[in-house]
Amino acid sequence: EPEVTQTPSHQVTQMGQEVILRCVPISNHLYFYWYRQILGQKVEFLVSFYNNEISEKSEIFDDQFSVERPDGSNFTLKIRSTKLEDSAMYFCASTSFGQAQFFGPGTRLTVL
Amino acid sequence: AQTVTQSQPEMSVQEAETVTLSCTYDTSENNYYLFWYKQPPSRQMILVIRQEAYKQQNATENRFSVNFQKAAKSFSLKISDSQLGDTAMYFCAFMKFAGGGSEKLVFGKGTKLTVNP
């Protein structure tokens, strides 16, 4: 069964460093998302992406964040200058029109 | 803006028994989808069940079923014959219908379910 994959599973970084989280969505899906879950809290929407551009972004998704689909298979989330409060689980999800979103296993980001 | 409320932070059930998790939501939309996702200790988000708002029939997936009350904006999840592997956080989620595409999910805060042997 096709699945969404994410790498790395765990990323540790120093405050102020740039990180890139990678996702490979399900191959025939057209809509891509990043969500964030701070430990013990609910899952929050960050950004949606369709047709090579951002469809919607939340207040969390400020200028420090960017997304890219560089090669038709990968979907990346970049955080330019990480802050302590960026420590969270980051989930990538993908879907086709009218279908449920399928989530990857997540990347646990720890900012020290 | 849509909101999703799960009023039960934690619940427990004995193995083989039935448990119902509550979810209410607030929206002015008429067309939308509702979902239950399961998050086991591994923290993977796993789709359990989905419901289209235009369908009156409640969705069922094996031991999982929903009670969808559109007028009351209520969407509860019933787990029958609970198994130890059902132990997880359960998130209720709302997605408004997008005529030409797909929308973001709005999640509740979750209910932590423990199945006891």
Side-chain angles (χ1 to χ4, degrees):
Chain A
E1 186 174 323
E3 57 184 20
V4 178
T5 59
Q6 289 186 243
T7 54
S9 57
H10 187 196
Q11 173 93 48
V12 181
T13 189
Q14 296 290 326
M15 190 169 56
Q17 295 296 304
E18 174 183 288
V19 294
I20 297 175
L21 311 183
R22 291 183 168 80
C23 167
V24 179
I26 293 172
S27 62
N28 62 346
H29 284 180
L30 300 175
Y31 305 90
F32 314 112
Y33 307 82
W34 285 101
Y35 293 86
R36 178 179 87 172
Q37 185 184 31
I38 294 171
L39 186 64
Q41 298 187 24
K42 68 177 179 181
V43 179
E44 301 174 290
F45 167 76
L46 290 178
V47 66
S48 58
F49 193 85
Y50 169 71
N51 199 26
N52 282 320
E53 61 183 27
I54 291 174
S55 308
E56 185 178 357
K57 57 184 180 180
S58 71
E59 294 172 353
I60 304 168
F61 195 89
D62 61 22
D63 292 344
Q64 293 300 313
F65 290 87
S66 63
V67 289
E68 197 175 40
R69 187 157 161 81
D71 57 12
S73 62
N74 289 283
F75 180 50
T76 62
L77 174 69
K78 182 194 293 186
I79 310 174
R80 286 190 186 80
S81 178
T82 50
K83 306 181 186 70
L84 295 176
E85 54 265 36
D86 293 327
S87 293
M89 195 79 163
Y90 288 81
F91 291 102
C92 173
S94 70
T95 188
S96 294
F97 169 65
Q99 302 299 312
Q101 293 179 21
F102 291 90
F103 284 74
T107 293
R108 184 156 66 104
L109 176 65
T110 303
V111 182
L112 302 175
Chain B
Q2 290 79 26
T3 58
V4 177
T5 301
Q6 294 178 250
S7 59
Q8 305 150 314
E10 292 192 40
M11 293 190 72
S12 62
V13 64
Q14 291 300 120
E15 198 175 5
E17 293 188 349
T18 295
V19 65
T20 299
L21 309 182
S22 301
C23 172
T24 58
Y25 57 95
D26 188 28
T27 184
S28 57
E29 302 286 333
N30 191 45
N31 292 324
Y32 50 87
Y33 302 91
L34 294 162
F35 305 88
W36 280 97
Y37 281 87
K38 168 185 175 180
Q39 187 179 46
S42 66
R43 297 190 72 183
Q44 170 94 48
M45 294 290 288
I46 301 166
L47 176 68
V48 175
I49 199 165
R50 82 177 228 161
Q51 174 80 44
E52 292 88 345
Y54 65 86
K55 289 186 178 178
Q56 291 188 338
Q57 187 173 5
N58 290 321
T60 299
E61 285 287 341
N62 301 312
R63 298 183 294 108
F64 299 88
S65 61
V66 298
N67 184 2
F68 173 50
Q69 302 288 328
K70 190 174 183 179
K73 295 181 182 173
S74 170
F75 183 61
S76 60
L77 175 70
K78 185 171 84 170
I79 306 174
S80 304
D81 186 26
S82 298
Q83 300 176 359
L84 296 178
D86 295 334
T87 293
M89 281 290 284
Y90 286 82
F91 291 97
C92 179
F94 173 99
M95 184 176 82
K96 69 180 183 182
F97 177 79
S102 183
E103 293 284 336
K104 68 186 179 195
L105 289 166
V106 177
F107 287 88
K109 290 186 176 181
T111 295
K112 183 178 180 182
L113 176 67
T114 303
V115 180
N116 298 308

